[in-house]
Amino acid sequence: MNYNLTNTQSWKALEKHFEDIKNVHLKTLFNDDKERGSNLSINKLGIYFDYSKHRINNKTLELLFNLAEELQIDSRKQDMFSGEKINKTEGRAVLHTALRAPKSASILVEGHDIVPDIHEVLNKMAIFSHKIRNKEWKGHTGKNIKNIINIGIGGSDLGPVMAYEALKHFSDRSLNFKFVSNVDGSDFAEAVEGLDAGESLFIISSKTFTTLETMTNAKTARNWFLSQIKDEKAIAKHFVAVSTNEKAVEEFGIDTQNMFGFWDWVGGRYSMTAAIGLSTMIAIGENNYRKMLGGFHLMDEHFKTAPLQQNIPVVMALLGIWYNNFFEAETQAVFPYENYLKRFPAYLQQMTMESNGKQVNMNGDRIDFQSGAIYWGEPGTNGQHSFYQLIHQGTKLIPVDFIGFKKSLNPIGSHQDYLIANMIAQGEALAFGKTKEEVKAEGIADDLVMHKVFEGNKPSSTFFLDELGPENLGKLVAMYEHCVYVQGLIWDINPFDQMGVELGKVLAMKIIPELENNEKVINHDSSTNALINFYKS
Ligand code: G6Q
């Protein structure tokens, strides 16, 4: 479908409507509709999604859904599920949703049903995880494996770290998990500090098995291992690989029996439910892992089938467009009121920003509107004691996603009530604020009144679930994945490539040998030359 977004009828109607509503306060919107809180909410799949505290009215919603209809989002979104090569710039299908499909499904890629392949790898992961968890898998010197070290970066790291932290409560506490990603030697050194190589298993996670950081860390791991266990044959018991590149895995010296494969139709940042999830499965066990896949699948089906107005990722995506393209909000904050989700914002940063941080449309034409927002966040309530100030009283508009759970995994005293009271209070304070009159009525000195005013009218969504567990984590991740996809469809950009990470990598490869010789460097610009020569001096 070819279109110029800003020339579409529905876009123009939204621009016009924006002028009418941009200064309307959430207080007015709530006064106009006494049931707004429940009217503007979706309660599905165990997620209570409150989007009433957004600067929208029924007209806004109607126009946003008109946009989705004019752009045929409902039918275009099916292209992903049917295996079309929607990642056009790389000529690939995008089928991370197939990774969570049940055994009974059938999904064809170039005439081949990929579902049995997916389940074969899942079963192989399950057998291996059982062996580690049941202490059947012994190290070369006969010791049990206690330390699992995942070496990977980007999509081969952020998902595993996030999922491990999120589901730590469900993990086998006799196992010690480490994640090495950075090429900075300190990352590796700290991860293996004090570890017994005979009790350690390295998972080298790399789709391509060529990534500089991962290969450097993998070689260092090999050397570290052999410095303790002085026997090459021991590698087979202590190194496994997750990759699509069998040849490179073999060349590295890992037994391909101990390789867990995946496919080119899984993008790195969409790979946590591919074999890249091996460390997660070892941590939480096969049953919990399959529950997580079940949660992903529930959200996939919801996204695929629910009408646009009831479709959680679609509504999220449209609200994101509303702020990003009309209010010109630059960022989107995500605040989980659940400490186990502390790495969730970092995980979302890659998913959202590497996907939708694009400047050209599918045809390669420069777009004339803003694409992906900057995502950021920290767990509540910590953020409240630092940067929330700016959201409440600063001059920038920052839409917020609050994520909370009714039950704590560690119910202690009144902690959970305090936590959730804070989450709910923040949404209320952001939306409704505190007027000059209210501040004055508190007897505040005149010269301080304006400092204590909260203008309010700051938008937020709240996602409220029962309890954090594997299934709910799966639902939340898939929810954001599909939100990103819908936004990419609307902007007509490709959310599935990442050409913007290449240039720096290529230049680094040129600079590496320049750092390693003794000659003065003069072939770059004057700033780059000076930095290189300073390093060498
Ligand atoms: C994600 C990106 C990127 C990738 C890493 C690691 O979508 O493609 O973050 O995951 O560069 O790549 P390898 O898994 O190939 O080492």
Side-chain angles (χ1 to χ4, degrees):
M1 194 187 174
N2 259 331
Y3 57 88
N4 183 337
L5 180 62
T6 50
N7 279 339
T8 58
Q9 262 187 4
S10 40
W11 193 270
K12 294 216 173 294
L14 277 162
E15 278 174 339
K16 197 156 162 279
H17 168 70
F18 175 69
E19 292 305 316
D20 299 335
I21 198 171
K22 67 179 183 195
N23 294 320
V24 177
H25 202 286
L26 279 163
K27 273 187 205 165
T28 313
L29 295 168
F30 273 82
N31 276 334
D32 291 349
D33 174 5
K34 296 289 173 212
E35 299 302 319
R36 184 178 165 96
S38 54
N39 285 343
L40 298 191
S41 67
I42 300 174
N43 193 351
K44 285 201 165 169
L45 312 182
I47 301 177
Y48 176 50
F49 169 33
D50 174 5
Y51 62 96
S52 63
K53 292 191 182 90
H54 281 291
R55 292 169 66 170
I56 53 171
N57 60 15
N58 289 337
K59 181 78 188 168
T60 326
L61 283 171
E62 186 190 315
L63 295 175
L64 286 169
F65 289 120
N66 284 351
L67 176 73
E69 263 152 43
E70 185 177 349
L71 302 181
Q72 300 173 20
I73 296 303
D74 207 15
S75 61
R76 283 167 69 212
K77 74 179 163 61
Q78 309 302 341
D79 294 345
M80 176 171 72
F81 293 95
S82 56
E84 274 189 42
K85 294 192 172 172
I86 58 171
N87 176 357
K88 293 202 174 111
T89 52
E90 297 181 318
R92 290 178 184 163
V94 176
L95 276 167
H96 45 276
T97 50
L99 300 167
R100 318 55 107 130
K103 248 192 205 144
S104 53
S106 162
I107 299 164
L108 301 181
V109 172
E110 286 163 0
H112 172 75
D113 188 357
I114 57 175
V115 177
D117 302 350
I118 291 166
H119 282 268
E120 195 185 313
V121 174
L122 263 175
N123 292 339
K124 185 172 172 184
M125 289 164 64
I127 292 168
F128 183 71
S129 307
H130 287 309
K131 284 189 185 158
I132 300 286
R133 289 166 62 87
N134 298 341
K135 323 289 180 210
E136 267 174 57
W137 184 284
K138 303 284 179 202
H140 184 69
T141 54
K143 291 185 181 169
N144 293 336
I145 297 296
K146 277 194 195 153
N147 312 309
I148 319 289
I149 303 126
N150 187 76
I151 295 184
I153 196 165
S156 301
D157 167 69
L158 287 158
V161 183
M162 183 279 290
Y164 171 66
E165 290 294 342
L167 301 175
K168 202 178 216 167
H169 186 78
F170 302 86
S171 71
D172 181 336
R173 302 296 181 136
S174 70
L175 299 172
N176 178 20
F177 287 82
K178 307 274 184 173
F179 299 87
V180 178
S181 54
N182 202 323
V183 76
D184 183 336
S186 300
D187 201 12
F188 180 81
E190 286 296 339
V192 298
E193 174 63 33
L195 300 189
D196 175 348
E199 298 175 339
S200 302
L201 174 81
F202 289 93
I203 304 176
I204 314 299
S205 296
S206 177
K207 181 174 165 180
T208 53
F209 231 73
T210 56
T211 308
L212 172 81
E213 292 86 342
T214 302
M215 289 303 108
T216 307
N217 279 319
K219 280 178 204 142
T220 301
R222 203 171 184 279
N223 294 341
W224 173 84
F225 177 80
L226 290 173
S227 72
Q228 286 192 29
I229 313 276
K230 297 176 177 24
D231 186 351
E232 290 265 349
K233 285 200 294 298
I235 298 284
K237 289 274 172 207
H238 295 268
F239 281 75
V240 300
V242 177
S243 188
T244 57
N245 188 348
E246 195 170 335
K247 192 164 164 269
V249 168
E250 206 171 349
E251 275 165 17
F252 182 85
I254 292 179
D255 184 351
T256 47
Q257 293 289 322
N258 300 331
M259 169 178 159
F260 301 83
F262 63 117
W263 306 272
D264 77 343
W265 39 261
V266 184
R269 57 193 171 277
Y270 296 94
S271 66
M272 65 171 276
T273 51
I276 291 292
L278 182 62
S279 60
T280 315
M281 197 196 270
I282 298 173
I284 65 174
E286 180 190 357
N287 287 346
N288 279 323
Y289 191 84
R290 289 194 189 270
K291 280 187 201 163
M292 182 183 83
L293 295 182
F296 271 95
H297 182 63
L298 279 175
M299 185 54 77
D300 294 342
E301 286 298 300
H302 165 78
F303 172 61
K304 195 171 164 186
T305 58
L308 296 182
Q309 286 78 356
Q310 287 297 306
N311 197 309
I312 300 174
V314 170
V315 173
M316 285 169 75
L318 292 171
L319 290 168
I321 300 268
W322 181 234
Y323 291 110
N324 189 70
N325 295 96
F326 295 90
F327 281 94
E328 295 179 357
E330 293 274 324
T331 80
Q332 168 71 52
V334 181
F335 301 144
Y337 278 66
E338 167 54 78
N339 210 54
Y340 286 116
L341 288 182
K342 62 181 171 209
R343 295 290 292 169
F344 193 59
Y347 174 74
L348 285 185
Q349 280 184 327
Q350 182 189 25
M351 183 210 286
T352 58
M353 290 159 72
E354 205 171 45
S355 296
N356 282 339
K358 308 288 160 70
Q359 61 194 8
V360 296
N361 66 13
M362 283 291 197
N363 289 332
D365 300 325
R366 182 70 162 84
I367 51 177
D368 60 354
F369 49 83
Q370 290 285 326
S371 58
I374 298 160
Y375 272 69
W376 63 285
E378 277 287 317
T381 57
N382 303 10
Q384 291 174 211
H385 294 263
S386 77
F387 49 74
Y388 274 39
Q389 163 66 36
L390 184 147
I391 309 176
H392 283 288
Q393 287 189 317
T395 52
K396 295 179 167 51
L397 182 72
I398 303 178
V400 175
D401 284 354
F402 291 110
I403 302 172
F405 298 84
K406 289 205 249 181
K407 295 185 203 143
S408 169
L409 291 165
N410 297 289
I412 309 171
S414 301
H415 283 250
Q416 185 69 1
D417 288 350
Y418 293 178
L419 176 71
I420 296 304
N422 270 285
M423 178 184 81
I424 298 173
Q426 287 299 324
E428 193 178 24
L430 286 170
F432 305 112
K434 196 172 183 184
T435 62
K436 199 158 74 177
E437 291 66 36
E438 285 166 335
V439 177
K440 274 189 180 163
E442 286 174 357
I444 300 295
D446 280 355
D447 59 339
L448 284 183
V449 168
M450 289 314 290
H451 295 274
K452 290 184 174 268
V453 167
F454 290 70
E455 288 175 358
N457 217 14
K458 318 279 189 201
S460 65
S461 292
T462 303
F463 300 91
F464 223 157
L465 296 87
D466 187 48
E467 186 178 60
L468 176 62
E471 191 180 271
N472 277 338
L473 180 71
K475 288 180 210 165
L476 284 173
V477 175
M479 176 178 94
Y480 279 97
E481 283 178 349
H482 300 320
C483 167
V484 168
Y485 175 42
V486 172
Q487 294 189 334
L489 285 174
I490 293 173
W491 290 322
D492 190 31
I493 56 179
N494 182 3
F496 302 113
D497 65 8
Q498 55 283 318
M499 313 269 180
V501 301
E502 288 308 319
L503 180 59
K505 285 192 206 171
V506 172
L507 295 183
M509 293 313 287
K510 283 194 188 150
I511 293 176
I512 290 171
E514 293 174 344
L515 297 184
E516 288 174 341
N517 65 36
N518 291 326
E519 284 154 41
K520 189 171 176 201
V521 171
I522 49 165
N523 55 323
H524 297 264
D525 61 273
S526 59
S527 160
T528 308
N529 285 339
L531 291 168
I532 294 173
N533 292 323
F534 179 78
Y535 179 76
K536 294 170 75 161
S537 66

